[in-house]
Amino acid sequence: MKPLVRTAALSGYVELCRTLGIDPQALMKRVGLDTAALAVQDRWISGAAAVQLLELSATASGHDDFGLLMAEFRRFANLGPVSLVVREEPDVRSALGLLIRHQHMYNEVLHARLSEGDGLATLKVDLQIGEAMEARQATELAVAAFHRILRGFLGARWQPLSVWFRHPAPADTATHQRAFGPMVGFGREFDGIVFYSDDLDAPNAMADPLLREYARQYFESIVVPKDATVADRVRELIEVLLPSGRCSIEQVARSLGVDRRTVHRQLASSGETFSSLLNATRMHLAEQFVANPRRSLTEISDLLGFSSLSAFSRWFSERFGCSPRAWRTRQSQQKLPGQD
């Protein structure tokens, strides 16, 4: 299966596109994505689609610094749950080490590694997409994101010794100079950042020693193994694709970088089918959505990928034994007095 990335990897994408005068929805549609998928940053999408999207957007906008501009929207929270424990690590070395060790929890495309020698620390960034494609924008976004993380720990005035990229220099390097300082180089042997090893020993000013143990306990309770199952990936993709109305096994297979027969075969090995996962995911979401009186049934029908409200109502009645409206009424009547 090809690697996935959290939708948080595209944080700020819609806003940047509108600032630059290009249509984010049209561009996302070209790579099989939908802007609705970005509403929840903990969902997973195709890594190849995200990489391709950034390249298409750079071309459409005429900005070959698109990836760097995207990085300006990055926040520490975009790392997801791992950000909670990283923020409480005592120094930069332990925080960066934890980020690298658990990078699969927020980006399966990203493969960063840290090495030290002769008083220098080198953070190398590789993208493993699973297929050959241009990835200049995604590479610059990833390097800039790490640069911003280091500055978050070391202060806004911190400067690395150098920031290197393997690709050629753009015609205008003004954005790169503004983002990284004067020591940015192109056509080098790796993508990444070089700085003094002593910087890794700097204390983390954000950390609260009293919270560290709580953060660690929470993180250990949610940490996921590096290799998620095919069924787990399919469930995540179903949740992302349902609101777009294009949740099919063909679309899921495309996001995973395989054909539909491979998805069928691998799901069967775990006792699942695409239909069983689709129905289970819809039922789980339907219980949450219908119980919320602020959501209209038409809106819920759209969120669950049904072509019409009547189709949703029939499906719901078959699985819950009553109409969604009756189920909602029953749930509200079962609440204890005084509950909201």
Side-chain angles (χ1 to χ4, degrees):
M1 294 294 182
K2 291 184 179 178
L4 307 176
V5 299
R6 291 172 66 250
T7 49
L10 295 178
S11 178
Y13 173 76
V14 172
E15 294 85 347
L16 178 58
C17 284
R18 289 172 177 164
T19 298
L20 300 179
I22 57 177
D23 182 358
Q25 178 64 29
L27 289 165
M28 292 186 73
K29 187 176 181 180
R30 289 179 60 182
V31 299
L33 299 176
D34 191 280
T35 52
L38 305 185
V40 181
Q41 68 173 7
D42 286 323
R43 296 291 179 256
W44 292 88
I45 57 176
S46 163
V51 170
Q52 185 183 9
L53 177 64
L54 297 185
E55 295 299 324
L56 290 173
S57 303
T59 300
S61 66
H63 280 264
D64 55 7
D65 57 358
F66 191 90
L68 289 188
L69 296 176
M70 276 274 292
E72 294 179 0
F73 290 87
R74 279 291 182 273
R75 299 292 182 269
F76 203 65
N78 294 141
L79 295 169
V82 70
S83 66
L84 297 175
V85 64
V86 169
R87 189 175 55 190
E88 305 304 333
E89 289 298 291
D91 53 49
V92 178
R93 176 179 278 102
S94 60
L96 195 58
L98 191 145
L99 267 181
I100 293 173
R101 190 161 61 253
H102 295 287
Q103 58 193 314
H104 66 280
M105 288 187 63
Y106 53 92
N107 192 325
E108 293 179 347
V109 168
L110 179 65
H111 291 262
R113 57 195 184 279
L114 180 68
S115 60
E116 296 181 65
D118 299 324
L120 299 179
T122 302
L123 177 64
K124 294 183 179 180
V125 176
D126 287 322
L127 301 184
Q128 298 181 12
I129 307 167
E131 60 185 280
M133 64 168 56
E134 179 62 42
R136 178 183 186 126
Q137 302 304 322
T139 297
E140 293 194 353
L141 172 58
V143 172
F146 270 115
H147 184 269
R148 291 175 68 87
I149 289 169
L150 286 168
R151 272 197 171 174
F153 288 128
L154 297 167
R157 294 186 179 182
W158 175 81
Q159 291 281 2
L161 295 174
S162 59
V163 175
W164 284 1
F165 294 104
R166 287 179 291 182
H167 51 255
D172 184 357
T173 63
T175 305
H176 296 77
Q177 299 281 337
R178 174 165 56 84
F180 303 119
M183 303 305 291
V184 58
F186 300 89
R188 301 305 181 94
E189 58 265 35
F190 64 84
D191 300 302
I193 305 170
V194 180
F195 53 100
Y196 289 115
S197 289
D198 288 347
D199 290 337
L200 293 170
D201 297 319
N204 176 10
M206 295 184 288
D208 182 341
L210 297 178
L211 289 178
R212 187 186 181 199
E213 186 59 30
Y214 291 115
R216 283 275 183 165
Q217 290 176 7
Y218 166 73
F219 185 69
E220 288 172 2
S221 72
I222 64 168
V223 68
V224 297
K226 189 169 184 178
D227 297 317
T229 67
V230 173
D232 291 335
R233 290 184 167 194
V234 171
R235 286 189 192 94
E236 292 279 0
L237 287 168
I238 286 173
E239 287 199 33
V240 170
L241 293 169
L242 276 174
S244 71
R246 294 181 291 106
C247 185
S248 64
I249 190 168
E250 289 80 10
Q251 187 63 47
V252 167
R254 177 183 175 185
S255 297
L256 293 173
V258 297
D259 58 40
R260 59 178 293 168
R261 286 180 297 181
T262 299
V263 176
H264 277 308
R265 185 174 63 253
Q266 297 200 12
L267 288 179
S269 67
S270 61
E272 297 281 5
T273 66
F274 179 75
S275 294
S276 69
L277 291 178
L278 176 61
N279 274 313
T281 302
R282 272 179 163 161
M283 289 181 68
H284 174 69
L285 294 174
E287 286 187 295
Q288 296 179 19
F289 293 159
V290 177
N292 183 352
R294 290 186 293 273
R295 288 192 183 275
S296 71
L297 296 182
T298 299
E299 178 189 7
I300 295 170
S301 173
D302 292 339
L303 289 171
L304 295 179
F306 288 97
S307 58
S308 65
L309 177 56
S310 60
F312 164 59
S313 296
R314 286 194 301 272
W315 172 87
F316 190 96
S317 296
E318 290 172 0
R319 281 151 184 81
F320 291 88
C322 64
S323 70
R325 195 175 305 278
W327 193 89
R328 172 177 282 177
T329 300
R330 183 186 303 166
Q331 291 299 305
S332 64
Q333 292 174 343
Q334 288 176 352
K335 289 185 177 180
L336 295 175
Q339 284 187 328
D340 294 330

